[in-house]
Amino acid sequence: MSGCFRRIAWTGALLLGGLLVTLPVQAASFDCAKATSKVEHMICDDPEISKLDEELARSYKVALQDQSRAELIKLAQKQWMKERNTCRDMDCLSAAYQARIQELSASSKPESEMPAFSLLKGKGVPVCEAYLKRLNMTEWDYYEKLPTCGRPENDSVEGFTKLNRVPLSAEQIAALYGETFNFSTTGHSDRGNVKPSDPKPTERAKQSMDSGGLKVWRYDPPVDIDNDGKPDADVIVWHGDVVGGGPCGRRAGWADSVQSYQTLIYSIDWQQMKLNDGRTRELFGHPVGGYPIIFQGKKVMADGFRPLGWEMGIFAFQGQYYLDTFFNAWGDFEGKRRSNAGDGKHRQKNDLDDILGVFQRKNGVTKQICEYRWNEFEKYYR
């Protein structure tokens, strides 16, 4: 059990302002005489847990010294507190504290000593630990291979199954382009300005495929994306656009950052060569259902399909299938954390762009299983 960096809102531990408070205490980092909840009493009653609580408070104070990440750390600490408070025994508390201390300590290390990825949520979960190993075994490259351009689908780590991609033809891409574009922009594949019969996407698709700016594929054998025991041959992954430029990860001309294209996943009716709107929304849509915006002074949901994230991927581990994606400025899976708008010129360091989530669809429900931080984000996006 672990948490994402959120600040601790101590009721007698840390104040909401993020300042560490040291009070005369018998144990732990807060006044045990003022303990009210069951978890607080558990902390005070166990010397080892009390020591861990004090150690965490020190690690938290050190981590907050990084002003560029302070707000994310506070938010994540608050989320961790929420998860910690669900513990019902000492083993759970001990595991939660040890995992959180490790996360905070890692965040305080010099960049040169940090791994490419750190696990924020899902410590001890086999798929999360194994995927962390695979992420950190991968040799990412500034110009050719970035995590935002796609993660491994191989069997380099025990437990994973190699997925076999089958590229779609330019003609197939052209037939589906209008469907996917309209769905992404209006929320309906049959509404919009792009028609499937438009001949231009075929030519543009060929050009973009040749330049490396567009890749669309299915899997053979098919993946079982909803883990119901039935292969899903309707799943395609769409990376880039028919009007895209060079390969994802290349430096964008004179710009100081690199190109990164959307990677979305759709469900396709192959017989009619049409997008399955409902199934796509069900399997790959964000639970919020849309993009909340303010229109004429009121909060409304903007038109368009909101996916789990804009840089999605699929992998298989121990016979189960998972989705992964980086979050974006619109928020996390639960709709709680959301980035600031930015200055319009640079991607902010405290955005959620460096947070990678892993999800599983099972029994008709999508759940987040793991969460990682890409520690080298600023190395590539400045």
Side-chain angles (χ1 to χ4, degrees):
M1 177 181 186
S2 69
C4 317
F5 284 131
R6 256 198 155 179
R7 95 197 229 189
I8 295 181
W10 294 114
T11 326
L14 295 178
L15 297 178
L16 283 175
L19 300 176
L20 187 66
V21 179
T22 304
L23 300 174
V25 295
Q26 204 171 5
S29 65
F30 58 95
D31 189 350
C32 284
K34 297 180 180 180
T36 56
S37 69
K38 180 179 179 179
V39 168
E40 288 174 344
H41 284 293
M42 290 170 65
I43 294 169
C44 293
D45 292 344
D46 188 282
E48 292 302 319
I49 302 297
S50 294
K51 290 180 181 178
L52 288 173
D53 188 77
E54 293 174 348
E55 184 179 350
L56 184 141
R58 290 192 295 269
S59 298
Y60 179 68
K61 183 178 181 180
V62 172
L64 285 180
Q65 293 175 6
D66 182 354
Q67 295 298 317
S68 64
R69 301 200 65 87
E71 287 306 312
L72 267 185
I73 291 171
K74 292 174 185 178
L75 290 173
Q77 191 78 349
K78 189 175 180 180
Q79 176 64 23
W80 176 83
M81 283 283 290
K82 182 179 178 181
E83 294 183 6
R84 184 210 66 174
N85 289 342
T86 64
C87 283
R88 294 294 178 265
D89 56 55
M90 295 302 182
D91 288 342
C92 175
L93 272 178
S94 179
Y97 271 99
Q98 291 181 42
R100 186 63 182 138
I101 290 168
Q102 183 179 352
E103 292 165 9
L104 289 169
S105 298
S107 70
S108 303
K109 289 182 179 180
E111 185 175 325
S112 60
E113 297 180 15
M114 296 182 69
F117 282 86
S118 297
L119 181 59
L120 304 181
K121 178 179 180 180
K123 286 193 180 295
V125 178
V127 64
C128 300
E129 298 286 0
Y131 198 47
L132 175 66
K133 181 178 181 181
R134 191 165 74 164
L135 287 169
N136 283 330
M137 281 177 56
T138 303
E139 294 185 5
W140 308 107
D141 182 82
Y142 186 92
Y143 292 100
E144 301 288 345
K145 192 174 183 181
L146 292 179
T148 48
C149 297
R151 278 73 63 197
E153 296 176 349
N154 56 45
D155 54 3
S156 59
V157 174
E158 184 178 358
F160 289 94
T161 301
K162 184 177 180 179
L163 303 183
N164 181 46
R165 297 181 181 183
V166 178
L168 269 62
S169 67
E171 289 73 21
Q172 288 175 313
I173 292 173
L176 294 170
Y177 173 65
E179 301 276 320
T180 57
F181 182 86
N182 292 339
F183 181 68
S184 295
T185 54
T186 70
H188 301 274
S189 61
D190 58 355
R191 299 180 190 174
N193 298 322
V194 178
K195 306 299 181 183
S197 58
D198 183 355
K200 293 183 180 179
T202 303
E203 300 173 14
R204 292 199 295 264
K206 289 180 178 178
Q207 294 174 355
S208 192
M209 290 169 71
D210 290 341
S211 68
L214 175 65
K215 298 177 182 178
V216 184
W217 64 88
R218 60 182 177 85
Y219 293 100
D220 186 17
V223 297
D224 179 12
I225 202 65
D226 50 4
N227 294 288
D228 63 355
K230 302 175 183 177
D232 298 313
D234 60 326
V235 171
I236 68 167
V237 181
W238 191 296
H239 171 81
D241 197 291
V242 296
V243 293
C248 180
R250 290 288 180 89
R251 293 192 65 173
W254 54 266
D256 195 28
S257 62
V258 294
Q259 298 183 105
S260 184
Y261 302 124
Q262 290 185 10
T263 304
L264 303 179
I265 309 176
Y266 301 102
S267 170
I268 302 298
D269 181 338
W270 291 110
Q271 290 187 337
Q272 299 187 49
M273 212 57 181
K274 291 181 64 65
L275 180 67
N276 188 329
D277 292 21
R279 184 165 162 79
T280 299
R281 191 175 285 109
E282 175 186 344
L283 294 177
F284 312 115
H286 193 282
V288 171
Y291 298 102
I293 62 172
I294 303 300
F295 179 70
Q296 295 182 348
K298 296 181 179 179
K299 185 177 180 179
V300 299
M301 288 294 177
D303 292 337
F305 167 62
R306 180 179 177 181
L308 286 172
W310 292 339
E311 292 149 339
M312 300 180 70
I314 299 173
F315 68 86
F317 179 76
Q318 294 184 346
Q320 297 284 299
Y321 288 84
Y322 298 85
L323 300 168
D324 70 341
T325 185
F326 280 92
F327 293 130
N328 52 56
W330 288 95
D332 62 4
F333 182 64
E334 296 179 340
K336 295 180 179 179
R337 292 168 293 168
R338 181 169 175 176
S339 299
N340 295 322
D343 60 9
K345 297 179 181 179
H346 303 90
R347 300 177 76 168
Q348 291 185 311
K349 190 174 182 180
N350 66 340
D351 278 350
L352 293 175
D353 299 279
D354 60 351
I355 303 299
L356 176 68
V358 170
F359 311 84
Q360 185 178 46
R361 179 81 179 178
K362 199 170 186 179
N363 300 321
V365 179
T366 301
K367 293 183 179 181
Q368 183 176 350
I369 309 297
C370 323
E371 185 165 301
Y372 307 87
R373 172 176 294 111
W374 180 25
N375 297 315
E376 298 179 337
F377 177 83
E378 286 296 307
K379 179 179 178 181
Y380 301 100
Y381 295 98
R382 295 191 292 266

